[in-house]
Amino acid sequence: MPAFDLQRRLAAEALGTALLVATVVGSGIMAEELAKNAALALLGNTISTGAILVVLIAVFGPISGAHFNPAVTLVFRLRGELSTSDALMYIIVQIIGGIVGTMIAHLMFGLPLLNEAMKIRTGGAQWFAEAVASFGLIVTILAGLRFERGSVPWLVGLYITAAYWFTASTSFANPAVAVARSLTNTFSGIRPRDLPGFVTAEFCGAIIGMVVIGWLLREVNAAAPIRKEVQL
């Protein structure tokens, strides 16, 4: 963990998540207003989200690790890289930051501060898509940290850019962002009643991703028992 105290790490997580959600919601509003076409609106939303992730992870990564995501924080807690109390505080500020991000986007576009989403996003296919999205995100992060640490901002940004289009759910892959998006009745919204399925799938996909990539990256020499040669 970087050499910053908890207060500063929490501030970085809250600020980063707020800026991420402000980008997701704000670019969705702008894209929908300008494009008048769902595919073009999604493309605008995608490019903005992928780009801001590169920036935010590069800027805040050295401070807090740039999780901005309770599923990512849970994985690092399970890996023993965060204490339970720190992980809980990370998740709390991520959710608060996400909600603030929605409010920021609404203020910029002259909308009510919070507005319950009406967009239906539910069903087995959507939940499976969220599990896949979160699985891939964790694999990208952990493998990136192992082999291309300096490229992690780009790897995550590019992965989410792709996942917006190859997943049926448009890759929320983030419980805090999902909560924040339930409070905006705009292009990127999700009905509050649909949240439990999304959040559960995201956590499940993240944990499975951690297990799979942990096995995949385990070195053979470290995993295999030491064999002693017997000389006759």
Side-chain angles (χ1 to χ4, degrees), residues 49-67:
T49 302
I52 198 64
L53 276 169
V54 174
V55 174
L56 294 177
I57 296 171
V59 170
F60 293 115
I63 302 174
S64 68
H67 297 184

Side-chain angles (χ1 to χ4, degrees), residues 44-216:
N45 197 208
T46 301
I47 294 171
S48 298
T49 302
I52 198 64
L53 276 169
V54 174
V55 174
L56 294 177
I57 296 171
V59 170
F60 293 115
I63 302 174
S64 68
H67 297 184
F68 315 138
N69 185 335
V72 173
T73 296
L74 174 63
V75 165
F76 279 91
R77 171 63 194 96
L78 293 175
R79 286 165 56 86
E81 298 181 35
L82 273 180
S83 68
T84 299
S85 59
D86 284 6
L88 288 173
M89 291 301 296
Y90 265 48
I91 291 170
I92 290 170
V93 300
Q94 288 160 1
I95 293 171
I96 293 172
I99 294 171
V100 171
T102 294
M103 296 168 68
I104 291 170
H106 284 182
L107 279 173
M108 290 191 293
F109 287 92
L111 300 174
L113 280 181
L114 297 174
N115 192 3
E116 182 178 321
M118 302 298 290
K119 183 169 289 187
I120 300 172
R121 298 181 189 265
T122 189
Q126 294 271 306
W127 301 332
F128 179 65
E130 275 304 285
V132 170
S134 297
F135 173 92
L137 175 62
I138 295 302
V139 168
T140 299
I141 292 170
L142 296 182
L145 288 173
R146 175 73 173 273
F147 300 119
E148 292 289 343
R149 181 174 289 269
S151 301
V152 169
W154 286 99
L155 294 173
V156 173
L158 289 171
Y159 171 77
I160 292 297
T161 298
Y164 253 77
W165 285 85
F166 81 75
T167 63
S169 61
T170 67
S171 184
F172 285 42
N174 186 329
V177 170
V179 170
R181 289 171 66 165
S182 74
L183 299 172
T184 178
N185 192 29
T186 60
F187 181 78
S188 60
I190 174 176
R191 289 188 311 177
R193 73 179 69 177
D194 297 335
L195 276 178
F198 264 59
V199 171
T200 301
E202 288 157 1
F203 279 121
C204 289
I207 293 170
I208 294 170
M210 177 192 71
V211 172
V212 171
I213 197 65
W215 172 81
L216 188 62

